[in-house]
């Protein structure tokens, strides 16, 4: 990570407001001030960990690959004393083609047409039988 500016944790701790929000994830110092309004969970979540090492919080949430790729976009430097592996050293930001975060949808195109009909009608039939038995 030659060429990157090196910061100490005390330097990062000076940036912990909505107007100047920095934190550390996996040894990368990030300035996410411009991302506060775009974050899906809201900017307050980011401000809570501002000025700290937020690696544990970031990994516990289970962010997508696209979110992990955004780390490189907002990186302003590295944390002093952090050792990077070879894959981290060669990482670079790749701009997504989509403006919005993508979601995964499981769609089975091999479903027979009658199955979709049954998935809709059978619950209605059973509900009708239940209410007919219960109230008649």
């Amino acid at each position: 990570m030659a060429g990157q500016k090196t910061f100490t944790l005390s330097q990062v701790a000076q940036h912990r407001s909505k107007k100047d929000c920095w934190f550390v994830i996996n040894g990368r110092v990030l300035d996410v001030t411009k991302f506060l309004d775009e974050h899906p969970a809201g900017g307050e979540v980011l401000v809570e960990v501002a000025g700290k090492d937020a690696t544990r919080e970031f990994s516990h949430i289970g962010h997508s690959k696209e979110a992990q790729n955004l780390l490189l976009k907002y990186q302003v430097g590295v944390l002093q004393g952090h050792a990077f592996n070879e894959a981290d050293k060669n990482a670079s930001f790749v701009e997504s083609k989509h403006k919005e975060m993508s979601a995964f949808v499981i769609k089975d195109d091999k479903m027979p047409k009658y199955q979709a009909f049954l998935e809709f009608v059978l619950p209605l039939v059973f509900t009708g039988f239940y209410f007919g038995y219960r109230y008649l």
Side-chain angles (χ1 to χ4, degrees):
M1 307 232 62
Q4 288 282 340
K5 188 167 181 183
T6 304
F7 295 94
T8 64
L9 204 51
S10 61
Q11 289 173 317
V12 174
Q14 297 171 1
H15 305 273
R16 55 178 183 223
S17 68
K18 284 185 177 183
K19 296 182 190 239
D20 189 23
C21 184
W22 290 22
F23 51 78
V24 177
I25 295 178
N26 296 326
R28 300 177 190 280
V29 178
L30 309 172
D31 179 0
V32 294
T33 309
K34 296 177 182 175
F35 185 64
L36 292 176
D37 293 332
E38 300 171 24
H39 191 268
E44 292 299 320
V45 176
L46 300 178
V47 174
E48 284 179 18
V49 295
K52 303 176 191 172
D53 187 343
T55 302
R56 191 179 73 204
E57 289 86 350
F58 183 82
S59 62
H60 283 313
I61 297 299
H63 287 87
S64 66
K65 291 288 184 189
E66 191 168 332
Q68 292 172 10
N69 192 25
L70 278 175
L71 295 179
L72 301 171
K73 178 179 180 182
Y74 294 103
Q75 182 175 353
V76 293
V78 295
L79 188 63
Q80 183 178 15
H82 185 81
F84 289 93
N85 61 25
E86 201 60 38
D88 286 340
K89 288 180 184 177
N90 298 327
S92 61
F93 175 68
V94 178
E95 187 72 39
S96 174
K97 296 175 187 174
H98 307 290
K99 287 289 184 189
E100 299 176 4
M101 295 257 181
S102 61
F104 293 101
V105 177
I106 299 172
K107 185 176 179 183
D108 187 10
D109 292 333
K110 298 176 184 175
M111 182 189 314
K113 293 187 180 207
Y114 70 88
Q115 185 178 355
F117 175 75
L118 291 177
E119 285 180 355
F120 177 74
V121 171
L122 281 179
L124 292 175
V125 170
F126 284 119
T127 303
F129 280 129
Y130 171 76
F131 284 115
Y133 175 77
R134 176 88 177 153
Y135 295 108
L136 295 180

